[in-house]
Amino acid sequence: MSVTTDAAAARPAAEVRLPGVGLFAGGLTALLALIVGIPLLMVVLMSLRTGFPGEGGPLTLTNFAAVYSNSGTYKVLGNTLLFATGTVFVALLFAVPLVWLLMRTDLPFKGAIYVLMTVGILIPVFLRTIAWILLLSPRIGLVNQWARQLFGMEQPLLSLYNIPGMAVIQGVSFVPSAFFMLAAAYRTMDPALEEAAYTSGVSKLQTFLRINVPITLPAIAGVMVYLFMTAIAVFEVPAIIGYPARIIVLSALIFTSTNPPTGLPNYGLAGAYGAVMLAAGLLLAYFYVRLVQHGKKYTVITGRGYRPREIALGRWKWAALAFALLYLAMEVFIPFLVLVWVSLLPHLQVPSAEAFAQVSLENFRHIFDHVGALPFVNTAILMFVVPTVTMVLSVLVSWIVVRTNVSFRGALDTLAFLPHAIPGILLAVGLAYLGLAYRSWFPVYGTVAIIAIAHTITWIAYGTRTTNGVMIQVHRELEEAGKVSGASTRTVLGRIVLPLIAAGIFNSWIWISMLSYREVTMALTLGTRKNVVISTIVWQFWGNGWVPQVAALGVVLVLFAVIVVGGLKIAFGHLGEWQS
Amino acid sequence: MITIRGLKKWFDTRRGRVEALRGIDLEIGEREFCVLLGPSGCGKTTTLRCVAGLERPDAGEIEIEGVTVNAPARRVYVPTEKRDIGMVFQSYAIWPHMNVFQNVAFPLVRGRKRFGKELVAEKVRRALHLVQLDGLEDRPATDLSGGQQQRVAMARAMVTEPKILLMDEPLSNLDARLREQMRVELKKITRAVGVTTLYVTHDQAEALSLGDRVCVMHGGEILQVAAPDEVYARPANIFVAEFVGEMNFVKAKIAAGSVECALGSLELPVPPAFAAAGAVTLAIRPEHVELAAADGASGPLVGTIASKNYLGDAALVEIEVNGVTLLAKLPGDTEIAVGQRAAVVLRPERWRVFAE
């Protein structure tokens, strides 16, 4: 999650001058420019055209006129801003104290909290959202059903169907990424800065407020901008909670323009809405990069890497643990338990003796009957192809950016970072338009390949950030020492560089595989009958109201992810040992 | 005044218990400058951080100015911010979001004792004058050089006029010339203020030049506490002898009235404690190995120059005598050359005797 110009700036003087490197770098840059640029171009193009994709006609501003003369649009923009702001607020409300608690205090069970936070990432946002609806929906929600039975309440106890409700669910889902980004920034900070305040006679609270917070502020601001950028484009919570409650945000509007429940798709309108989102995304990405660079000034290289003493929480220990547990309950425990409970029953009902009598694995047994093998095959293809292609491209890009002196390596790095700023839903709409309008040149519409392409473009930003970091860590002198020992370039790459970067690349591979596995927005936007994947199947079930089946498939989805990631970490955990 | 009694600290790791401090006893007097000296991992920084309250000992007691600040057995622990101390960190720990004035004023504005605006300004001005940073009040902390950051850290530690000043390798991140300059200044400043100072370093030259007393530590224990000249001239054991300054070692056996070694039979006053031991190690400083022209009039010890390391003001010469290589420190302009023969003079009173 570092910055685009990072690698180019931190890199020592480049030395590789091989014939053909320039040509290769040029080709790679052109390829990246094409795969990132064309979908964006399509979004702009579709916003300027009317009619079906592929119908020519003159370029026109009709769509923009239609969209921006409609007062409903401004209501949508208002909702989007409120939702995004609320989401960022909720995410930071949990993430900032958690970073401090886990990194500086003697909070018990830190290891377990870390692991559960990672598990939280593996629960797809749409499943968590569905679980919370099953709990808090005014009509069918378990809590409200229970309140009716118990207290005879007429009004629902709690409802999610409002902007704060949406912001809480989305915000909780953002906490792990906010946490890991902030923790990374916190780690580069000298613990002596805090200790110097204590030795100056300043209390812990004052130190937290006057030293920790101001020093972390650039990092927090960076995370805020990043989360905001992501929040204005997220689709899952707005579609599952917002749309049925008629709280429409931009992403839902773009989706329904291209996939209307009734009537014909209108790509022109989607493009006009998308243009705002794209402009906002790019602007925020620019601010993000600026903020992260500013934050760099605050990082100090310390004389030695001693671990600061953990602050004893004393009698606050249990309150702090309760806070962490509250978060984990919202993020992991409650959603997962709700899914498990619902998956074991023929229909949604609150726990009772009667309900317990009906518990069975029936729903799990029939998963295959309902969906067949196709979604599993398609998902498996994505999970293998997407990370592999992404990591190959990332390694090549990083090698040029970090290890060569090609003049446009900075531009290449920026290009690889750009997808970070492009909302997934726009990328997918752009690709869908490309596939429909230029079918003969780009004959992949309706195949799993087009989803794979969308995923690869999106995660190349993440992939290159990792590979840049890994390659910078492998000091050039390690390579040079190999060459001086008389090893050939091939031997140096194979025996020295590759083993050193393997762990980092493998980790990224797993993560991208998992992200692809749980991704639903792009898969849904690009989806047809033929390229269904598991996540879109769950979505369809939910649309059909097959609640127990959704829960059963959801439980399988989460368990599979946890087992795969856990298993791989245990099996290959030793790979990263020397990097710590 | 700092009193440390039986201080112990251990860490439980996956490979079992690591004892960082094995019972430290140390008394530091009013206005004394005491240096903790030792190799990395000897426990000197842990001791300092225990005094600061940044680390909590597992056993023992610490008293500052007569107040018990650590006594785990009695569940006494005074947190860092309640101790009357100032501290300078190795990384300086200058807060990057504040300017020089704000950094130095922080302990006065947010610390134990708080002062009015004018008094704060006056105290900060005086502290900055003390470290010769007059007029830099408005400079952002991120625009300071290493040496300036070091001075700001000093000013910040002293501005509250604490009774105790703690310094954790404060000069180790400066380059050599600046380090020597700061060393002289540091001594002057602490003298002038009259603060009790506990100073941690691994640099023996720094320890010898700064300390009123030097406390040599190794493996979580104190090996010797004494004035610098005492530590240098009469090291308590082989480790201290080797760590502080250069030393030649020769294995020897005690015989009746004399000591037998490869250099022959030496007439040395052997402490009675060693008389029964039989085997001992002899030690002599390179500057006490005297070389003379190898003519007929010289003593029985004659050797060959094996190497010469010219240092400008001095020359370090290795001479082989009876299969023993001795290091001698000679004036830089000595004309002695590799391959020459020379007589070696070793005065009996210069030898130190250690148990093997």
Side-chain angles (χ1 to χ4, degrees), chain A residues 507-563:
Chain A
N507 264 329
S508 282
W509 193 96
I510 297 179
W511 270 116
I512 293 175
S513 179
M514 281 299 137
L515 290 173
S516 187
Y517 166 73
R518 52 162 259 187
E519 203 283 331
V520 73
T521 306
M522 286 182 268
L524 210 55
T525 312
L526 293 166
T528 61
R529 267 175 180 289
K530 285 177 297 173
N531 61 3
V532 281
V533 292
I534 302 174
S535 58
T536 54
I537 284 284
V538 177
W539 195 279
Q540 284 170 18
F541 279 15
W542 178 250
N544 298 343
W546 298 351
V547 173
Q549 287 79 3
V550 167
L553 200 51
V555 169
V556 173
L557 204 65
V558 173
L559 284 183
F560 176 73
V562 171
I563 290 167

Side-chain angles (χ1 to χ4, degrees), chain A residues 29-100:
Chain A
T29 310
L31 174 72
L32 229 58
L34 279 178
I35 62 172
V36 176
I38 286 186
L40 292 187
L41 197 67
M42 286 302 126
V43 172
V44 176
L45 189 65
M46 73 173 101
S47 73
L48 298 174
R49 276 187 173 163
T50 54
F52 290 118
E55 287 183 1
L59 301 182
T60 157
L61 289 175
T62 320
N63 297 314
F64 284 95
V67 165
Y68 295 103
S69 65
N70 182 349
S71 67
T73 304
Y74 298 96
K75 174 91 177 116
V76 168
L77 289 178
N79 284 343
T80 310
L81 284 180
L82 276 179
F83 166 65
T85 311
T87 299
V88 173
F89 176 76
V90 172
L92 290 179
L93 198 66
F94 286 107
V96 173
L98 278 174
V99 168
W100 187 73

Side-chain angles (χ1 to χ4, degrees), chain A residues 234-398:
Chain A
V234 287
F235 170 68
E236 297 167 46
V237 171
I240 298 174
I241 305 179
Y243 198 73
R246 306 221 170 281
I247 302 166
I248 314 289
V249 301
L250 213 43
S251 58
L253 206 54
I254 292 170
F255 182 79
T256 46
S257 304
T258 58
N259 296 273
T262 55
L264 295 169
N266 190 332
Y267 278 86
L269 287 183
Y273 291 124
V276 199
M277 193 190 259
L278 187 62
L282 292 176
L283 192 70
L284 287 165
Y286 171 77
F287 278 121
Y288 173 67
V289 170
R290 288 283 302 273
L291 274 167
V292 173
Q293 270 164 357
H294 177 69
K296 283 243 161 67
K297 280 210 307 200
Y298 280 16
T299 60
V300 194
I301 309 301
T302 58
R304 84 199 113 174
Y306 68 86
R307 285 167 64 100
R309 182 178 67 88
E310 294 176 342
I311 292 164
L313 289 169
R315 57 205 155 96
W316 292 100
K317 189 185 270 187
W318 303 108
L321 188 63
F323 174 77
L325 284 179
L326 169 75
Y327 160 69
L328 288 174
M330 294 173 75
E331 162 89 26
V332 181
F333 302 143
I334 294 177
F336 190 65
L337 286 180
V338 168
L339 288 180
V340 170
W341 171 250
V342 175
S343 72
L344 296 173
L345 293 170
H347 61 93
L348 189 63
Q349 51 193 313
V350 288
S352 65
E354 190 190 338
F356 274 106
Q358 295 174 24
V359 163
S360 76
L361 291 174
E362 209 57 19
N363 296 318
F364 290 92
R365 231 168 272 150
H366 294 297
I367 286 176
F368 264 101
D369 307 344
H370 287 298
V371 300
L374 187 63
F376 294 93
V377 173
N378 283 340
T379 299
I381 293 174
L382 284 186
M383 285 179 70
F384 187 77
V385 171
V386 171
T388 307
V389 175
T390 308
M391 288 323 288
V392 168
L393 282 174
S394 297
V395 168
L396 294 177
V397 168
S398 290

